[in-house]
Amino acid sequence: MFTIKQHLMAKSVEEGYETLVKNRNNIILGGSAFLKLGNKNINIGIDLSNLELDYIREDENNIEIGPMTTFRSIETNEILKDDFDGIVARSVEEIVGIQLRSVITAGATVASKYGFSDFITALLCLDTHIELFKGGVVSLESYLAEEKVPKDILVKIIIKKDGKSATFKTMRNSKSDYAILNCAVSNLDDEYRVVVGARPGRAVVARIENEQFKIENLEEIIKKIVDEMKFGTNMRASGEYRKMIAKVLIRRSIEELKNK
Ligand SMILES: Cc1cc2nc3c(=O)[nH]c(=O)nc-3n(C[C@H](O)[C@H](O)[C@H](O)COP(=O)(O)OP(=O)(O)OC[C@H]3O[C@@H](n4cnc5c(N)ncnc54)[C@H](O)[C@@H]3O)c2cc1C
């Protein structure tokens, strides 16, 4: 369990950011569920709960998710149930149980770039950007490509409403465990975007243009995709096993989208 010397109920994101960068042991608090698994000595825990950052809203171009939005809100939200074949909502619905999902937050998950994340895999197959208080708006793909987690505050997740059709699949050894692999595939204007996460490293993207389907068969395309991805071994599965599962999940996903 972590310890906190001081709790700050931030009055603005700016105050939160200024406090964050003053001391390396000052940190932002999301739902604190992941922090509880560790034993960090936190100097100031910066609480964003009073800043109205818990929302899911849409306009004609985008869906926006506030960083303090819980996974339970994402799972049950009407907008997310419909758009992109519901994959954003579906990506979180198997995570442990309702009590945990009612606490854990979208901003903490994405900002921390967790390799095991189901939510990040779903977001990455869509046209997703994030807004950082200091770093501004960046694509999720470029944010994940940077090894380090910046000392910044994620203030918004932005998903472009471009009409993609999409599917999300995951494989777990047991229902409430972390995924041994997850996979999301989207399709728009004949471009397939294939994302594989929990390899166990961070989710990565591969793109397939439709012309490739004419010159190669699906098995060859999938082999090429997974050969270019790294799969590692941990207590849940071997790299070799993950690679085999990846081929199956990608094939099923593409077939599902082709048949829509
Ligand atoms: C028991 C358990 C099982 C889990 N199983 C799964 C699973 O199967 N699949 C899955 O995808 N996920 C799983 N998770 C992870 C979960 O989905 C969340 O990603 C995780 O709990 C972080 O959310 P939180 O609100 O608890 O973050 P916290 O513990 O509050 O914070 C985590 C980190 O994020 C930072 N942070 C918080 N908010 C922000 C912000 N706005 N900007 C920048 N940094 C911020 C904090 O400073 C901290 O470093 C599990 C978590 C737990 C505790």
Side-chain angles (χ1 to χ4, degrees):
M1 177 65 87
F2 63 88
T3 54
I4 300 186
K5 273 196 198 146
Q6 200 187 323
H7 176 261
L8 173 77
M9 195 54 102
K11 290 183 198 67
S12 65
V13 178
E14 190 168 11
E15 185 194 22
Y17 179 76
E18 278 164 12
T19 310
L20 179 69
V21 293
K22 261 187 201 147
N23 181 318
R24 61 193 286 268
N25 293 322
N26 291 354
I27 70 156
I28 302 295
L29 305 174
S32 300
F34 207 72
L35 285 169
K36 278 183 190 157
L37 298 179
N39 54 3
K40 270 198 171 115
N41 290 317
I42 299 168
N43 182 47
I44 305 180
I46 304 155
D47 196 328
L48 308 177
S49 300
N50 276 353
L51 302 181
E52 297 182 357
L53 295 171
D54 172 359
Y55 59 80
I56 300 166
R57 58 193 181 211
E58 65 175 337
D59 60 24
E60 58 191 68
N61 300 316
N62 299 312
I63 295 173
E64 296 183 343
I65 304 176
M68 293 301 284
T69 307
T70 66
F71 277 10
R72 182 64 180 158
S73 302
I74 288 167
E75 177 190 354
T76 54
N77 183 269
E78 287 304 317
I79 298 166
L80 296 174
K81 267 186 181 167
D82 291 340
D83 279 322
F84 314 112
D85 301 298
I87 64 153
V88 179
R90 277 200 288 118
S91 71
V92 300
E93 72 186 11
E94 281 190 50
I95 297 173
V96 187
I98 290 177
Q99 281 159 325
L100 185 77
R101 297 199 295 277
S102 301
V103 169
I104 57 186
T105 60
T109 303
V110 176
S112 302
K113 311 185 184 188
Y114 297 129
F116 55 75
S117 174
D118 298 302
F119 183 55
I120 289 177
T121 296
L123 291 180
L124 198 56
C125 89
L126 307 175
D127 188 349
T128 303
H129 286 70
I130 60 166
E131 186 177 334
L132 298 163
F133 179 74
K134 188 69 181 171
V137 177
V138 291
S139 75
L140 178 60
E141 191 174 356
S142 62
Y143 179 71
L144 295 174
E146 292 290 324
E147 191 51 38
K148 273 179 72 174
V149 173
K151 197 89 172 152
D152 207 334
I153 303 178
L154 189 152
V155 291
K156 199 185 285 178
I157 297 165
I158 308 155
I159 311 169
K160 190 169 173 194
K161 281 173 39 178
D162 52 11
K164 277 189 171 70
S165 52
T167 181
F168 173 83
K169 299 193 187 306
T170 173
M171 167 96 179
R172 287 170 149 77
N173 286 330
S174 67
K175 200 171 182 323
S176 59
D177 199 2
Y178 291 95
I180 60 165
L181 200 90
N182 53 42
C183 167
V185 179
S186 65
N187 175 241
L188 181 71
D189 298 335
D190 290 335
E191 189 198 78
Y192 285 81
R193 208 172 147 111
V194 177
V195 179
V196 182
R199 298 166 295 107
R202 275 178 206 161
V204 285
V205 188
R207 292 176 176 79
I208 317 168
E209 306 294 335
N210 203 36
E211 295 125 47
Q212 286 178 268
F213 280 115
K214 290 176 195 150
I215 51 167
E216 293 167 289
N217 71 35
L218 190 52
E219 291 306 323
E220 280 168 19
I221 292 168
I222 293 169
K223 184 177 181 308
K224 207 167 148 214
I225 290 174
V226 298
D227 282 348
E228 283 168 12
M229 290 177 176
K230 283 193 182 134
F231 295 87
T233 298
N234 66 3
M235 62 188 282
R236 290 186 174 78
S238 68
E240 205 183 336
Y241 183 62
R242 284 191 159 97
K243 193 169 175 177
M244 284 163 57
I245 298 296
K247 284 182 185 167
V248 176
L249 297 190
I250 296 170
R251 183 172 40 74
R252 284 185 190 164
S253 301
I254 292 175
E255 282 171 358
E256 194 180 308
L257 291 180
K258 271 188 154 292
N259 290 331
K260 268 192 179 154

